[in-house]
Amino acid sequence: MSESPIEVVDNAGVVRLTISRPKALNALNSDVLSELERVLAELEARDDLRAVLITGAGEKSFVAGADIAEMRTKTPEEARAFARQALATLKRLETLPVPTVALVNGFCLGGGCELALACDWAVASDNAIFGQPEVLLGVIPGFGGTQRLPRRVGPAMALDLCTTGRKIDAAEALRIGLVNRVMPQAELDSYVEELTRQLGGNGPRSVRATKQAIHDGMEQDLDSALALETALFAFCFAGDEQTEGMSAFVEKRKPNF
Ligand code: CAA
């Protein structure tokens, strides 16, 4: 059997996925998307899942886009099916019940940028390059870029990036809010360790409830969203986690979640 293009490393429920297709700068073809969807479906079912971090193999590229060689000869119907496959996979990533973080370690173009946008937040190495260059290929973003990019950086900046196809560096990505942090590539590993410690150490139910409140609340009007927050706040008091967290504070010790 050929090797999986998705490497999975599990550190007590904080799972790091590495997309590995080095010959094509980790471009997303149908096989990579199928495997990613299979891995995400497995993770989704795990009660012990705490967070998912996603990155690209090597030091040059996160993901250089959808696979152009594979797309080149597609008919409109085949293109629609390919986009639907990718959208379903990215939806699965977006709706995982735990925090998801893109670790952008190089080129993050087209479908790569769309993959990062399906994560809750992104951090980038200082050599990262971002862009939605689809118009240079005679198409538009097809993996959610025209919708998730304006929601993250605003419609004017999304139109700027998507209609010019220009590439931006990590500093500009940080300035426009496409990424949360930029660091030297050599520091990405220690960032992963820090995140693993933080996300692995916090109360898993409250972390999941936080994500649910923010994600679902953003789709609702403010009053409904505030009511959702209240319901989830109360839900947190229904388990052992809140008792342990608050008792640990009062007893001046670390909580054990
Ligand atoms: N699809 C398929 N193969 C790709 C690829 C992609 N998106 N990006 C890079 N590759 C391949 C190259 O063809 C090359 O293969 P060969 O060695 O067999 O020729 C290999 O990866 C290395 O790439 P380069 O030699 O081009 O490396 P470089 O350092 O000179 O340039 C780059 C790097 C600027 C990222 C350049 O490869 C590039 O522009 N890639 C395409 C980026 C792009 O347009 N992405 C958007 C794709 S469309 C899309 O994603 C649509 C959507 O929304 C769904």
Side-chain angles (χ1 to χ4, degrees):
M1 220 173 89
S2 62
E3 228 169 80
S4 169
I6 312 286
E7 182 197 320
V8 182
V9 175
D10 186 346
N11 192 333
V14 179
V15 176
R16 181 177 184 165
L17 305 180
T18 303
I19 297 177
S20 181
R21 227 192 128 213
K23 280 190 201 145
L25 300 181
N26 307 323
L28 302 173
N29 62 11
S30 311
D31 289 346
V32 175
L33 287 169
S34 301
E35 184 60 6
L36 181 58
E37 178 149 34
R38 189 192 65 74
V39 169
L40 290 171
E42 274 183 18
L43 293 178
E44 197 178 83
R46 279 179 48 179
D47 290 338
D48 66 335
L49 188 68
R50 298 245 182 165
V52 174
L53 318 178
I54 187 156
T55 193
E59 301 205 329
K60 184 172 172 181
S61 182
F62 171 67
V63 168
D67 190 297
I68 300 167
E70 181 181 318
M71 286 186 295
R72 188 162 72 104
T73 55
K74 283 195 189 304
T75 64
E77 270 322 301
E78 289 166 343
R80 192 191 309 276
F82 185 53
R84 283 184 173 155
Q85 176 192 20
L87 285 180
T89 304
L90 297 193
K91 183 54 123 181
R92 201 152 217 160
L93 175 63
E94 185 172 51
T95 56
L96 280 177
V98 296
T100 53
V101 185
L103 305 165
V104 179
N105 56 324
F107 289 115
C108 182
L109 300 170
C113 196
E114 293 166 300
L115 174 68
L117 285 165
C119 293
D120 292 327
W121 76 89
V123 302
S125 57
D126 51 10
N127 66 331
I129 299 286
F130 297 80
Q132 295 288 165
E134 286 83 356
V135 286
L136 307 178
L137 299 163
V139 295
I140 69 168
F143 293 0
T146 64
Q147 303 310 311
R148 291 195 179 99
L149 186 61
R151 284 166 171 75
R152 181 125 344 150
V153 303
M157 186 54 79
L159 273 156
D160 169 350
L161 293 174
C162 293
T163 60
T164 63
R166 74 184 174 92
K167 297 183 179 66
I168 62 171
D169 61 15
E172 185 168 359
L174 180 66
R175 191 171 56 72
I176 66 173
L178 184 51
V179 300
N180 285 18
R181 284 172 67 169
V182 177
M183 62 194 74
Q185 191 159 56
E187 286 175 22
L188 275 181
D189 280 347
S190 46
Y191 177 73
V192 168
E193 279 170 28
E194 181 193 332
L195 259 188
T196 301
R197 209 172 34 253
Q198 287 175 332
L199 295 172
N202 293 341
R205 261 164 63 104
S206 49
V207 169
R208 285 177 179 233
T210 304
K211 174 159 176 173
Q212 190 187 341
I214 293 177
H215 268 248
D216 294 356
M218 290 292 288
E219 303 294 321
Q220 300 174 10
D221 65 81
L222 185 60
D223 286 343
S224 311
L226 290 171
L228 171 67
E229 182 189 77
T230 304
L232 287 165
F233 180 69
F235 163 80
C236 290
F237 285 73
D240 299 340
E241 205 171 284
Q242 166 266 337
T243 310
E244 169 60 10
M246 295 191 177
S247 300
F249 177 81
V250 171
E251 293 160 15
K252 300 191 186 309
R253 61 175 174 83
K254 280 200 161 166
N256 182 12
F257 293 121

